[in-house]
Amino acid sequence: MTREFCDMLYLMSWNYKNRLTDDKHSYDVEGIRKLSISQGVWTLVFPELEKYADLSAYQNEIVKALTYSIRQSTFQLGIISDLNAAGLRACLLKGAAIAAAYPDPPSRVSADTDILIEPEKEPEVIEFLKARGFSVKPREKNDHHFKAYHPIGGVLEGHVRLYSIPTEKVLLDGASLYSEEWSMENIDGYDIPILGLNDGLIYLTAHYIKHLVNEGGGVRQMLDLLLYIERYKDKLDFERYDRLLKQLRYDKLVDVIKTIGAKYWGFDYPIRYEELAEKLLTDSEEGGIFGYDTDSREGFYKAYCDRRAKAPGTKLMVFIKGERDWKKRLFPSRKMLCAEGFKGAENRALYPYYFILHYIKKFKDRKHQAKVGNKFIDERLDLMKDMEMIT
């Protein structure tokens, strides 16, 4: 973990000034800014960093980001309210519902809005959104959400399930996690359905785990979880939560996150796993909020699922039931081949030629990987093993 990342972590805390011991500490502003952007926390870090460094060059950038976020959130909250008024039940996941747990909610910005809908109402929800100016990308057969785009509201993801099938069956052991009725929360003047408080806690935890074992889990997701626990601690069923974490083998991971919260953000938890916390933070720094360093992390999800499930057919299930349709993975479109660098695939007549080249490249890549191994994947698997998520 670099010094800039460490500085960024401390600056994410609103009581950082009370714990600052070195008034002469110098900051690599640009380094902190780049890392903060990669973690989706620049708007959280900026107000604290501004107390110790000249950030006038980035003032307009922050104002623009906050303005766009507020406009986007307000628009989407209106859409969710209207969906429910039309009898199309829609529950807000994360986003503005989590921002309410922050001391300064607008500073917790999100790139998109997620809602949970009733699967049988999906066609009606899509038509409703199209009538409101959204363009909708159809959901693939096994995918658990569709994406809708609006020039003002940005991206809206409509979930028919909370997770993909492999995530449900392998990462979460097929456990029945959710049992509460949706709650109502007044957010910026709109009465919006959200998950029940305990279900919301479980979802936030599972959502972070899903990203962690895909390409990467960011520190904003950790802070989301800890602030949510802090806000609702008098209303949450921790006995149920702790029992579930132990059952799913994620109890040590959450204790590592609590160690991070205690060390860097001032939460009142024991610092139990400092070495593991540093390793997890290094992994977050390298991967960004959702694992932007996807090239080196490609293949980790499958490797993790195989190690966690240890059951015949796991690899086949992950392939067949993955979010991307398996037929499209076996027979990539011309557009997908072009994205891989085979530009000549734009010509329909040349598709068979570049299709063969695509598989020759995959064969060579796998042969090379088998020869040299993937040190990065092995190191990440070791980290998950140290946190007792796998054996």
Side-chain angles (χ1 to χ4, degrees):
M1 181 171 63
T2 63
R3 172 180 165 176
E4 290 75 28
F5 196 77
C6 184
D7 283 342
M8 181 202 75
L9 290 170
Y10 281 119
L11 290 163
M12 287 171 63
S13 173
W14 292 266
N15 64 351
Y16 171 63
K17 189 172 183 180
N18 296 332
R19 293 184 287 121
L20 184 65
T21 57
D22 182 7
D23 291 331
K24 296 181 180 179
H25 183 76
S26 61
Y27 296 91
D28 178 352
V29 171
E30 189 55 33
I32 292 172
R33 172 180 170 272
K34 287 181 179 178
L35 286 169
S36 299
I37 290 172
S38 77
Q39 293 287 330
V41 297
W42 180 222
T43 49
L44 300 177
V45 169
F46 182 91
E48 289 299 318
L49 183 56
E50 193 177 31
K51 298 172 184 177
Y52 313 105
D54 180 11
L55 301 184
S56 56
Y58 308 112
Q59 190 73 44
N60 289 339
E61 175 181 88
I62 288 293
V63 170
K64 184 177 179 180
L66 290 173
T67 301
Y68 177 78
S69 177
I70 292 170
R71 183 179 69 165
Q72 175 182 299
S73 176
T74 301
F75 181 89
Q76 298 286 29
L77 289 172
I79 290 293
I80 297 169
S81 178
D82 291 346
L83 276 168
N84 282 281
L88 301 171
R89 299 181 72 225
C91 173
L92 177 63
L93 304 171
K94 306 183 285 82
I98 302 306
Y102 280 70
D104 180 30
S107 67
R108 197 282 189 191
V109 302
S110 183
D112 55 24
T113 303
D114 297 76
I115 59 173
L116 179 64
I117 63 172
E118 297 171 313
E120 65 274 15
K121 297 286 187 178
E122 181 182 10
E124 294 177 62
V125 171
I126 289 175
E127 288 306 310
F128 181 97
L129 294 175
K130 286 181 177 179
R132 294 299 185 94
F134 284 84
S135 59
V136 180
K137 182 180 179 182
R139 178 174 63 89
E140 292 192 15
K141 181 181 177 181
N142 289 330
D143 204 346
H144 62 296
H145 59 68
F146 65 81
K147 290 188 177 182
Y149 306 85
H150 193 279
I152 296 175
V155 180
L156 177 71
E157 292 190 356
H159 293 245
V160 295
R161 297 190 309 275
L162 289 174
Y163 316 104
S164 67
I165 293 173
T167 294
E168 289 177 351
K169 293 188 177 297
V170 182
L171 271 61
L172 304 175
D173 294 354
S176 179
L177 302 181
Y178 304 99
S179 59
E180 297 176 328
E181 293 293 324
W182 295 351
S183 302
M184 296 299 293
E185 179 101 358
N186 188 277
I187 306 174
D188 296 339
Y190 294 96
D191 289 326
I192 300 293
I194 62 171
L195 292 174
L197 292 184
N198 291 292
D199 284 358
L201 173 60
I202 293 168
Y203 178 70
L204 275 181
T205 308
H207 184 74
Y208 169 75
I209 292 167
K210 181 197 77 169
H211 281 294
L212 176 65
V213 301
N214 270 271
E215 281 84 30
V219 295
R220 190 184 75 190
Q221 296 158 325
M222 299 182 198
L223 187 57
D224 283 351
L225 176 60
L226 295 177
L227 285 173
Y228 185 92
I229 291 173
E230 185 68 21
R231 184 185 190 199
Y232 297 113
K233 61 185 178 184
D234 295 331
K235 299 178 181 179
L236 293 170
D237 183 350
F238 288 111
E239 184 177 338
R240 173 195 173 196
Y241 181 61
D242 293 341
R243 184 172 60 248
L244 182 61
L245 289 178
K246 184 173 283 292
Q247 173 191 332
L248 297 177
R249 292 175 284 163
Y250 294 124
D251 49 321
K252 191 170 182 178
L253 169 63
V254 172
D255 281 340
V256 172
I257 294 172
K258 289 178 177 178
T259 294
I260 291 169
K263 181 174 179 179
Y264 294 98
W265 301 325
F267 286 92
D268 187 20
Y269 295 115
I271 298 179
R272 297 180 60 190
Y273 298 111
E274 194 163 3
E275 184 178 347
L276 278 176
E278 299 305 302
K279 289 181 179 180
L280 183 60
L281 288 170
T282 297
D283 183 76
S284 293
E285 179 175 5
E286 292 172 349
I289 187 170
F290 297 126
Y292 64 81
D293 185 17
T294 52
D295 288 342
S296 63
R297 295 173 180 234
E298 186 177 355
F300 180 80
Y301 180 76
K302 291 180 181 178
Y304 176 87
C305 286
D306 190 45
R307 284 280 293 273
R308 182 171 171 88
K310 286 191 173 181
T314 297
K315 287 183 179 180
L316 181 62
M317 186 271 289
V318 170
F319 179 78
I320 296 294
K321 297 296 186 179
E323 293 183 10
R324 281 184 56 206
D325 186 81
W326 64 271
K327 294 177 184 177
K328 292 183 180 179
R329 279 177 279 170
L330 282 178
F331 303 99
S333 66
R334 287 183 294 133
K335 183 178 179 181
M336 289 172 63
L337 291 178
C338 288
E340 287 183 18
F342 301 115
K343 300 298 183 184
E346 292 178 352
N347 187 324
R348 186 183 298 273
L350 294 176
Y351 173 81
Y353 171 70
Y354 286 103
F355 175 81
I356 293 171
L357 286 185
H358 159 78
Y359 272 99
I360 290 174
K361 180 178 182 298
K362 286 180 74 72
F363 175 76
K364 288 181 176 179
D365 288 347
R366 289 187 179 181
K367 189 175 180 181
H368 175 73
Q369 185 175 339
K371 183 178 179 181
V372 303
N374 192 323
K375 182 182 177 185
F376 187 83
I377 286 180
D378 289 342
E379 288 176 349
R380 289 200 88 217
L381 287 172
D382 285 342
L383 174 60
M384 306 305 162
K385 184 178 179 180
D386 289 343
M387 292 190 291
E388 301 176 4
M389 296 161 60
I390 55 176
T391 56

